[in-house]
Amino acid sequence: MTSTYVPEKFPPRWLPEKVELKTWEQIEPWYKKLLAIPIDTAEQLEAWLTAAGELSAAVGQEGVARYVAMTCQTDDPDREAAYLSFVRDVEPKLKPYLNEVRNRYLDAPARAGLSESRYHVFNRSLENRRALYREANIPRETELAELEQQYQKTVGAMTVEFQGQERTLAQLSPFLEQTDRAVRQEAWELAARRRLADRDALDDLFDKMKALRVEIAREAGFDDYVAYAFRNRERFDYTPADSIRFHEAVEKTVVPLARAIQKEQRKNLGVPSLRPWDLSVDSLGRPPLKPFEDVARLAEGAEAIFREVDPELGAQFGYLREHSLLDLANRKGKAPGGYQTTYEADRLPFIFMNAVGVDSDVRTLLHEGGHAFHTLASRGEPLASYRESPLEFCEVASMSMELLGAKGPDPFYDQPQAERSYRKLLEGIVTILPWIATVDAFQHWLYNHPDHSRDDRRKAWRGLIERFGGEVDWSGHEDARDHSWHRQLHIFLYPFYYIEYGIAQLGALQIWKRSLTDRPGAVASYRSALALGGSKPLPQLFEAAGARFGFDEELISPLMTAIGDELARLAP
């Protein structure tokens, strides 16, 4: 199907159309020119902000392009060298200039002539960034970026021999849905052993990262990394105490439903205990859902779902397909996980994932598609900073699309299979919320106890598994359980970035709950909220989407009731 979506062009107003900004020698003169522009009036200041946004977007797009290329093939030395060259040779030299640009704006008398309501979120962010900036931290941040790339490379290189073929760990995931329990166990144990083979290397990487992060926090004047991380992530609308409230509410309202789902799984399987390799299989012995054989079919089907949710969204996704803005298939050497990033100068999204032909691949693409629609909805915003939203609301965009996309005609399945897939999605939400609480609580523990030993770390993780975990029997695999946090890339790459998924899931569930009785209204509010970008504080973005921003039991409990009612309606 050909897309009817033609994106608006945003040619630069200040930079030349074909400017090259690949090396520091090419980039630096433009920052010097930017800093020489007069900003004596409010009009001059706004024009200068547009120029600064153009330059930042153009330089950012070069870094994004190199990151995309590297993650698409981590074992290509040329791509790795190009990415690391940007990290080492451009980013450290860029940061002092970005700080100077920020300070010039914040200290400009002409700021008094700008609308306070329009620039409130922007000013708050820049003032925060100035307060955190320390030139002494630039080498530490560069070292962290290199360690993070090593984590990606280490995990991307993990393969095993299974059934006569070399496979990535992601390519083992379909076998965890096989009805033959011995096959599931073999696949799970192979993956677990492969991860454990690199446990010392991953622990070493994390210890180095932790030490650098603690140094960065102390250099910035914070007593601990937790407080620094909340400020660095611009969590202006909630606190560490709110995170603890979230953990407690999940433990009280979600964990019991998650454990009930797993008890039913064990009962249906007819096994004495639920083992780690029993969590993904269909408990009634039906073969795994097989939505597609190749990624072309995945993309085609996802576009059909998006068109059913909203025809314009479907056309937007069609444009991404036509213009090679997707890399969907898993392969050896590809970085793990999935993401949506933005080519900032073009204001266009790019979707990366590791599809292997399982049901969750469909959900992943719907998820990343939601992020892409968010990028496209806010691309007309003239202030570059407002074209990005707080992560807590970015994930509302993606998680809502998973839920909205699960309710219409399904191009991958017949009706019973579609209901089975929908049920898996709802059950997955119930079981992921305790995992989010586990990971977030673990990160609080890690950085509230910065001098911990590796034994302390394993013990703390074990305690959280017992608190939030389900009815899983780990006997004989305690070592894999105690190191299972290694597979959560956020702990390594994006510290404290994980509760966002939980907060956003609560927003998405509120949109979904409304869609059960008012689907057009829910979709319209969703799209209106995406168009706001990051121009409003979090509570107002949630409100625009028809949701309440909150962490409490009073918010979560009715959502779990709604899921329970929907599960009761669906066939097993």
Side-chain angles (χ1 to χ4, degrees):
M1 187 180 295
T2 302
S3 168
T4 57
Y5 173 74
V6 179
E8 182 182 353
K9 300 290 186 183
F10 296 97
R13 298 180 182 178
W14 180 63
L15 286 172
E17 185 87 37
K18 301 291 185 182
V19 66
E20 282 226 335
L21 297 171
K22 296 181 180 298
T23 67
W24 183 244
E25 290 70 28
Q26 293 171 327
I27 294 167
E28 186 179 30
W30 286 102
Y31 274 96
K32 290 181 176 179
K33 290 178 184 179
L34 178 72
L35 290 165
I37 295 175
I39 51 171
D40 299 324
T41 67
E43 292 75 16
Q44 288 178 330
L45 184 56
E46 288 198 297
W48 183 79
L49 284 173
T50 298
E54 281 183 12
L55 181 54
S56 177
V59 175
Q61 180 155 311
E62 179 64 28
V64 165
R66 296 189 192 196
Y67 178 79
V68 167
M70 181 273 293
T71 56
C72 286
Q73 207 62 48
T74 62
D75 53 3
D76 182 328
D78 292 337
R79 297 184 187 205
E80 178 183 14
Y83 172 69
L84 289 176
S85 172
F86 195 85
V87 168
R88 293 166 178 164
D89 303 333
V90 174
E91 288 183 351
K93 296 172 185 173
L94 180 62
K95 287 175 181 177
Y97 276 98
L98 294 178
N99 187 54
E100 194 172 346
V101 169
R102 179 167 54 238
N103 288 341
R104 191 164 189 243
Y105 168 76
L106 290 174
D107 296 334
R111 266 184 72 198
L114 301 182
S115 164
E116 169 59 27
S117 60
R118 164 67 174 161
Y119 285 93
H120 167 68
V121 173
F122 182 69
N123 290 338
R124 182 176 68 173
S125 176
L126 264 63
E127 287 162 359
N128 183 60
R129 298 255 64 84
R130 173 154 74 175
L132 294 181
Y133 178 79
R134 300 291 187 278
E135 195 158 339
N137 275 335
I138 293 175
R140 296 182 179 109
E141 290 163 352
T142 301
E143 187 177 351
L144 264 175
E146 294 184 23
L147 291 171
E148 290 160 1
Q149 189 271 338
Q150 285 301 306
Y151 172 83
Q152 301 245 43
K153 186 176 181 180
T154 300
V155 176
M158 290 182 180
T159 63
V160 295
E161 286 288 330
F162 183 68
Q163 295 186 348
Q165 293 183 35
E166 183 183 23
R167 303 177 194 266
T168 65
L169 301 194
Q171 287 168 343
L172 290 179
S173 57
F175 296 99
L176 298 179
E177 298 184 17
Q178 292 292 321
T179 55
D180 186 331
R181 200 182 194 202
V183 171
R184 298 199 305 272
Q185 180 174 353
E186 183 185 2
W188 186 91
E189 288 180 339
L190 271 174
R193 284 197 297 269
R194 181 61 188 86
R195 289 192 184 95
L196 286 173
D198 281 333
R199 63 186 160 188
D200 290 338
L202 293 174
D203 271 328
D204 287 343
L205 277 173
F206 180 77
D207 286 336
K208 292 173 184 175
M209 292 172 176
K210 172 175 62 71
L212 283 166
R213 288 168 183 152
V214 170
E215 288 177 15
I216 286 169
R218 289 175 179 162
E219 181 70 37
F222 290 81
D223 292 334
D224 59 74
Y225 185 74
V226 178
Y228 173 84
F230 268 67
R231 283 286 299 278
N232 190 46
R233 293 208 163 274
E234 303 197 345
R235 292 178 175 174
F236 301 118
D237 300 301
Y238 64 104
T239 66
D242 289 318
S243 297
I244 303 307
R245 288 173 61 213
F246 172 80
H247 306 160
E248 292 169 348
V250 167
E251 182 178 15
K252 187 169 182 180
T253 65
V254 185
V255 169
L257 181 55
R259 289 177 175 168
I261 288 170
Q262 290 193 338
K263 284 178 181 177
E264 186 68 19
Q265 175 88 345
R266 180 191 60 75
K267 178 182 174 184
N268 289 341
L269 285 172
V271 294
S273 63
L274 204 62
R275 305 288 273 159
W277 48 86
D278 294 327
L279 302 179
S280 300
V281 67
D282 182 75
S283 64
L284 299 180
R286 294 167 293 193
L289 289 167
K290 185 71 175 174
F292 59 90
E293 293 291 341
D294 59 72
V295 294
R297 176 73 187 100
L298 170 62
E300 177 188 354
E303 182 176 337
I305 291 174
F306 293 136
R307 287 185 184 274
E308 192 281 329
V309 173
D310 185 279
E312 186 178 345
L313 296 181
Q316 290 175 8
F317 187 78
Y319 180 88
L320 303 188
R321 292 179 63 198
E322 292 166 14
H323 291 81
S324 301
L325 292 167
L326 311 171
D327 188 321
L328 306 182
N330 175 256
R331 57 183 173 270
K332 182 182 178 182
K334 192 174 182 181
Y339 63 77
Q340 181 268 316
T341 191
T342 302
Y343 292 116
E344 298 171 48
D346 297 332
R347 308 189 193 184
L348 290 173
F350 176 86
I351 294 176
F352 169 102
M353 60 178 287
N354 280 276
V356 292
V358 295
D359 181 67
S360 61
D361 290 334
V362 176
R363 304 300 159 218
T364 298
L365 187 49
L366 296 183
H367 180 104
E368 302 303 343
H371 285 310
F373 301 142
H374 205 175
T375 294
L376 294 171
S378 59
R379 68 192 300 268
E381 166 61 57
L383 191 60
S385 175
Y386 283 174
R387 292 197 290 271
E388 297 181 8
S389 302
L391 292 167
E392 296 84 350
F393 194 72
C394 287
E395 298 301 335
V396 172
S398 57
M399 292 175 172
S400 297
M401 188 50 63
E402 290 185 63
L403 286 157
L404 293 170
K407 282 292 287 180
D410 197 308
F412 297 105
Y413 303 123
D414 61 24
Q415 184 62 27
Q417 289 175 324
E419 289 203 356
R420 184 177 154 199
S421 175
Y422 180 38
R423 184 183 187 89
K424 279 186 67 175
L425 172 63
L426 295 179
E427 290 180 343
I429 289 170
V430 175
T431 55
I432 195 65
L433 284 169
W435 178 256
I436 290 167
T438 303
V439 171
D440 189 64
F442 186 54
Q443 298 205 75
H444 279 265
W445 184 90
L446 288 171
Y447 293 102
N448 279 320
H449 303 83
D451 299 322
H452 65 261
S453 68
R454 293 183 185 183
D455 282 341
D456 294 335
R457 192 154 69 208
R458 285 190 286 270
K459 183 178 179 182
W461 179 250
R462 245 188 340 264
L464 291 169
I465 291 290
E466 291 169 1
R467 178 183 176 190
F468 294 107
E471 303 289 317
V472 181
D473 176 6
W474 288 90
S475 57
H477 294 286
E478 290 82 1
D479 212 12
R481 175 200 60 199
D482 294 350
H483 291 87
S484 56
W485 64 274
H486 281 175
R487 61 187 172 91
Q488 193 66 53
L489 62 83
H490 303 78
I491 296 172
F492 289 84
L493 305 185
Y494 314 111
F496 281 91
Y497 173 33
Y498 206 57
I499 195 174
E500 286 88 345
Y501 291 107
I503 296 168
Q505 190 72 78
L506 301 181
L509 284 171
Q510 292 175 76
I511 293 169
W512 163 79
K513 188 169 180 282
R514 177 183 176 186
S515 77
L516 297 177
T517 55
D518 179 18
R519 185 172 172 84
V523 173
S525 294
Y526 165 81
R527 293 200 62 192
S528 295
L530 298 195
L532 293 173
S535 63
K536 303 292 182 184
L538 265 176
Q540 292 181 37
L541 293 175
F542 271 67
E543 183 180 357
R548 178 168 76 84
F549 180 72
F551 307 80
D552 47 86
E553 182 183 344
E554 291 73 21
L555 176 69
I556 301 175
S557 184
L559 299 175
M560 292 303 105
T561 299
I563 290 179
D565 291 345
E566 193 76 349
L567 290 174
R569 182 188 66 79
L570 294 168

mmCIF file of all heavy atoms in Angstrom, residues 524-542:
data_model
loop_
_atom_site.group_PDB
_atom_site.id
_atom_site.type_symbol
_atom_site.label_atom_id
_atom_site.label_comp_id
_atom_site.label_asym_id
_atom_site.label_seq_id
_atom_site.Cartn_x
_atom_site.Cartn_y
_atom_site.Cartn_z
ATOM 1 N N ALA A 524 -8.518 10.609 19.615
ATOM 2 C CA ALA A 524 -8.402 12.044 19.356
ATOM 3 C C ALA A 524 -7.610 12.740 20.469
ATOM 4 O O ALA A 524 -6.742 13.581 20.193
ATOM 5 C CB ALA A 524 -9.790 12.664 19.222
ATOM 6 N N SER A 525 -7.897 12.393 21.734
ATOM 7 C CA SER A 525 -7.158 12.997 22.845
ATOM 8 C C SER A 525 -5.694 12.581 22.810
ATOM 9 O O SER A 525 -4.793 13.403 23.076
ATOM 10 C CB SER A 525 -7.791 12.596 24.179
ATOM 11 O OG SER A 525 -9.080 13.135 24.310
ATOM 12 N N TYR A 526 -5.455 11.327 22.493
ATOM 13 C CA TYR A 526 -4.081 10.806 22.365
ATOM 14 C C TYR A 526 -3.300 11.629 21.346
ATOM 15 O O TYR A 526 -2.200 12.127 21.607
ATOM 16 C CB TYR A 526 -4.169 9.334 21.963
ATOM 17 C CG TYR A 526 -2.907 8.697 21.442
ATOM 18 C CD1 TYR A 526 -1.928 8.245 22.308
ATOM 19 C CD2 TYR A 526 -2.723 8.509 20.073
ATOM 20 C CE1 TYR A 526 -0.778 7.627 21.834
ATOM 21 C CE2 TYR A 526 -1.583 7.889 19.579
ATOM 22 C CZ TYR A 526 -0.601 7.447 20.461
ATOM 23 O OH TYR A 526 0.531 6.835 19.976
ATOM 24 N N ARG A 527 -3.875 11.830 20.161
ATOM 25 C CA ARG A 527 -3.169 12.560 19.108
ATOM 26 C C ARG A 527 -2.985 14.033 19.477
ATOM 27 O O ARG A 527 -1.936 14.626 19.184
ATOM 28 C CB ARG A 527 -3.912 12.423 17.782
ATOM 29 C CG ARG A 527 -3.895 10.991 17.237
ATOM 30 C CD ARG A 527 -4.173 10.950 15.752
ATOM 31 N NE ARG A 527 -3.147 11.686 15.010
ATOM 32 C CZ ARG A 527 -3.249 12.015 13.723
ATOM 33 N NH1 ARG A 527 -4.333 11.684 13.043
ATOM 34 N NH2 ARG A 527 -2.287 12.678 13.121
ATOM 35 N N SER A 528 -3.962 14.628 20.122
ATOM 36 C CA SER A 528 -3.836 16.034 20.540
ATOM 37 C C SER A 528 -2.698 16.198 21.541
ATOM 38 O O SER A 528 -1.938 17.172 21.479
ATOM 39 C CB SER A 528 -5.141 16.527 21.160
ATOM 40 O OG SER A 528 -6.180 16.549 20.203
ATOM 41 N N ALA A 529 -2.592 15.253 22.448
ATOM 42 C CA ALA A 529 -1.522 15.329 23.448
ATOM 43 C C ALA A 529 -0.148 15.161 22.803
ATOM 44 O O ALA A 529 0.810 15.851 23.174
ATOM 45 C CB ALA A 529 -1.740 14.273 24.524
ATOM 46 N N LEU A 530 -0.022 14.259 21.824
ATOM 47 C CA LEU A 530 1.267 14.071 21.154
ATOM 48 C C LEU A 530 1.715 15.362 20.478
ATOM 49 O O LEU A 530 2.918 15.669 20.437
ATOM 50 C CB LEU A 530 1.175 12.964 20.100
ATOM 51 C CG LEU A 530 0.829 11.541 20.553
ATOM 52 C CD1 LEU A 530 1.146 10.551 19.436
ATOM 53 C CD2 LEU A 530 1.556 11.154 21.818
ATOM 54 N N ALA A 531 0.773 16.119 19.930
ATOM 55 C CA ALA A 531 1.121 17.338 19.198
ATOM 56 C C ALA A 531 1.707 18.414 20.110
ATOM 57 O O ALA A 531 2.354 19.347 19.624
ATOM 58 C CB ALA A 531 -0.106 17.872 18.480
ATOM 59 N N LEU A 532 1.513 18.288 21.426
ATOM 60 C CA LEU A 532 2.072 19.265 22.359
ATOM 61 C C LEU A 532 3.575 19.109 22.516
ATOM 62 O O LEU A 532 4.237 20.006 23.050
ATOM 63 C CB LEU A 532 1.394 19.133 23.729
ATOM 64 C CG LEU A 532 -0.080 19.507 23.792
ATOM 65 C CD1 LEU A 532 -0.650 19.162 25.165
ATOM 66 C CD2 LEU A 532 -0.271 20.991 23.487
ATOM 67 N N GLY A 533 4.132 17.982 22.074
ATOM 68 C CA GLY A 533 5.561 17.750 22.250
ATOM 69 C C GLY A 533 5.935 17.839 23.715
ATOM 70 O O GLY A 533 5.297 17.233 24.570
ATOM 71 N N GLY A 534 6.956 18.641 24.000
ATOM 72 C CA GLY A 534 7.388 18.811 25.389
ATOM 73 C C GLY A 534 7.121 20.213 25.901
ATOM 74 O O GLY A 534 7.820 20.698 26.792
ATOM 75 N N SER A 535 6.093 20.868 25.355
ATOM 76 C CA SER A 535 5.851 22.272 25.680
ATOM 77 C C SER A 535 5.112 22.488 26.993
ATOM 78 O O SER A 535 4.967 23.628 27.434
ATOM 79 C CB SER A 535 5.060 22.937 24.547
ATOM 80 O OG SER A 535 3.783 22.338 24.397
ATOM 81 N N LYS A 536 4.641 21.403 27.616
ATOM 82 C CA LYS A 536 3.889 21.517 28.863
ATOM 83 C C LYS A 536 4.500 20.597 29.919
ATOM 84 O O LYS A 536 5.126 19.587 29.597
ATOM 85 C CB LYS A 536 2.419 21.119 28.654
ATOM 86 C CG LYS A 536 1.685 21.926 27.587
ATOM 87 C CD LYS A 536 1.494 23.360 28.007
ATOM 88 C CE LYS A 536 0.725 24.134 26.941
ATOM 89 N NZ LYS A 536 0.599 25.574 27.274
ATOM 90 N N PRO A 537 4.298 20.891 31.209
ATOM 91 C CA PRO A 537 4.754 19.967 32.260
ATOM 92 C C PRO A 537 4.009 18.639 32.179
ATOM 93 O O PRO A 537 2.917 18.544 31.608
ATOM 94 C CB PRO A 537 4.409 20.714 33.556
ATOM 95 C CG PRO A 537 4.261 22.145 33.162
ATOM 96 C CD PRO A 537 3.729 22.133 31.759
ATOM 97 N N LEU A 538 4.605 17.626 32.779
ATOM 98 C CA LEU A 538 4.049 16.270 32.700
ATOM 99 C C LEU A 538 2.579 16.180 33.089
ATOM 100 O O LEU A 538 1.787 15.563 32.355
ATOM 101 C CB LEU A 538 4.867 15.329 33.599
ATOM 102 C CG LEU A 538 5.993 14.542 32.945
ATOM 103 C CD1 LEU A 538 6.736 13.744 34.000
ATOM 104 C CD2 LEU A 538 5.446 13.627 31.864
ATOM 105 N N PRO A 539 2.145 16.732 34.217
ATOM 106 C CA PRO A 539 0.729 16.571 34.572
ATOM 107 C C PRO A 539 -0.206 17.115 33.497
ATOM 108 O O PRO A 539 -1.273 16.549 33.252
ATOM 109 C CB PRO A 539 0.609 17.357 35.887
ATOM 110 C CG PRO A 539 1.985 17.308 36.483
ATOM 111 C CD PRO A 539 2.910 17.385 35.306
ATOM 112 N N GLN A 540 0.190 18.199 32.823
ATOM 113 C CA GLN A 540 -0.661 18.771 31.775
ATOM 114 C C GLN A 540 -0.660 17.912 30.513
ATOM 115 O O GLN A 540 -1.672 17.817 29.814
ATOM 116 C CB GLN A 540 -0.206 20.194 31.455
ATOM 117 C CG GLN A 540 -0.457 21.174 32.584
ATOM 118 C CD GLN A 540 -0.027 22.585 32.229
ATOM 119 O OE1 GLN A 540 -0.180 23.033 31.095
ATOM 120 N NE2 GLN A 540 0.523 23.296 33.210
ATOM 121 N N LEU A 541 0.469 17.277 30.204
ATOM 122 C CA LEU A 541 0.505 16.371 29.054
ATOM 123 C C LEU A 541 -0.414 15.180 29.292
ATOM 124 O O LEU A 541 -1.171 14.770 28.401
ATOM 125 C CB LEU A 541 1.939 15.903 28.799
ATOM 126 C CG LEU A 541 2.931 16.971 28.329
ATOM 127 C CD1 LEU A 541 4.334 16.378 28.238
ATOM 128 C CD2 LEU A 541 2.519 17.550 26.986
ATOM 129 N N PHE A 542 -0.372 14.616 30.498
ATOM 130 C CA PHE A 542 -1.265 13.504 30.837
ATOM 131 C C PHE A 542 -2.720 13.948 30.747
ATOM 132 O O PHE A 542 -3.568 13.251 30.198
ATOM 133 C CB PHE A 542 -0.948 12.987 32.239
ATOM 134 C CG PHE A 542 0.099 11.906 32.285
ATOM 135 C CD1 PHE A 542 1.418 12.177 31.940
ATOM 136 C CD2 PHE A 542 -0.216 10.619 32.663
ATOM 137 C CE1 PHE A 542 2.390 11.195 31.980
ATOM 138 C CE2 PHE A 542 0.740 9.619 32.712
ATOM 139 C CZ PHE A 542 2.048 9.901 32.364
#
